[in-house]
Amino acid sequence: MRRIQVTETTENKDLVQEEKNVQAENEVEVEVGQETELTIEEQYEAKLAELQAKLDDEENRHLRLRADFDNIRRRSQLDREAAEKYRAQSLLSDLLPVIDNFERALQVEATSEETASIVKGIEMVYRSLLEATEKEGLQIIKAEGEQFDPNVHQAVMQEQDSEKETGVVLRELQKGYMLKDRVLRPTMVSVNE
């Protein structure tokens, strides 16, 4: 009989232990279930915050790219306009020494009828050349008697004239030219001290 009792007690212990295990598993499942629910909500909120941050980054990136594109388009439009406006700059710059040489040739005094006709021909070519360059926008920079402007004048010497104000251009040593609103060559001048 003892043997049977031992077996019953062992079985009872096993049953009690099994019930405890089931109870513990149920408690763990309830705790895990609550943690899982909180974790899922937190995961959704974290995922939502992450997606919102990505969306904000992409919107900012899109706006920056659009602004860059607009700036490039505007800059290229300005470059095209400037290229059209100043298309003759290189040619006119190369023609300035030619104009200077014509002016020097016109300063020679004609002593005979033959020289006078040559000077008259040179003057006609010179005027034609000036008219053609003026059509392209070439302008002579006024200097003599004007207030010295370092943007358009280049002072190469100073003189003193008590009858005129300080900083006034006394003499023009070499003509200066502008193409529309851009200085091609500044006027070389002598300035009053």
Side-chain angles (χ1 to χ4, degrees), residues 37-94:
E37 284 179 23
L38 292 177
T39 305
I40 290 173
E41 286 177 12
E42 290 173 354
Q43 286 176 352
Y44 283 138
E45 288 175 6
K47 188 69 172 173
L48 181 63
E50 180 185 334
L51 291 174
Q52 186 64 45
K54 283 183 180 180
L55 178 63
D56 292 343
D57 288 344
E58 290 300 319
E59 285 178 352
N60 288 337
R61 184 173 169 264
H62 172 73
L63 291 174
R64 284 192 304 272
L65 287 174
R66 187 171 180 183
D68 287 345
F69 176 74
D70 289 342
N71 289 339
I72 289 170
R73 187 171 27 134
R74 191 176 313 112
R75 197 174 314 124
S76 67
Q77 176 67 26
L78 292 174
D79 289 346
R80 278 193 305 271
E81 290 172 2
E84 177 63 27
K85 186 175 182 180
Y86 302 112
R87 73 183 185 283
Q89 181 174 347
S90 177
L91 175 64
L92 292 175
S93 293
D94 292 342

Side-chain angles (χ1 to χ4, degrees), residues 63-149:
L63 291 174
R64 284 192 304 272
L65 287 174
R66 187 171 180 183
D68 287 345
F69 176 74
D70 289 342
N71 289 339
I72 289 170
R73 187 171 27 134
R74 191 176 313 112
R75 197 174 314 124
S76 67
Q77 176 67 26
L78 292 174
D79 289 346
R80 278 193 305 271
E81 290 172 2
E84 177 63 27
K85 186 175 182 180
Y86 302 112
R87 73 183 185 283
Q89 181 174 347
S90 177
L91 175 64
L92 292 175
S93 293
D94 292 342
L95 286 177
L96 292 182
V98 175
I99 292 171
D100 292 339
N101 289 333
F102 271 112
E103 289 172 353
R104 282 188 211 100
L106 291 173
Q107 290 174 356
V108 173
E109 288 188 33
T111 55
S112 68
E113 193 175 304
E114 191 176 296
T115 348
S117 68
I118 291 174
V119 169
K120 188 174 182 181
I122 291 174
E123 187 177 340
M124 289 171 56
V125 173
Y126 172 70
R127 286 193 182 153
S128 296
L129 181 61
L130 281 183
E131 286 175 12
T133 57
E134 285 173 0
K135 285 180 185 176
E136 287 298 320
L138 187 70
Q139 304 164 0
I140 296 172
I141 298 171
K142 295 179 183 177
E144 202 164 315
E146 300 285 322
Q147 190 67 29
F148 176 76
D149 181 1

Side-chain angles (χ1 to χ4, degrees), residues 162-173:
S162 59
E163 294 177 8
K164 297 192 178 175
E165 289 182 36
T166 303
V168 171
V169 174
L170 296 177
R171 287 189 299 147
E172 180 180 270
L173 304 173

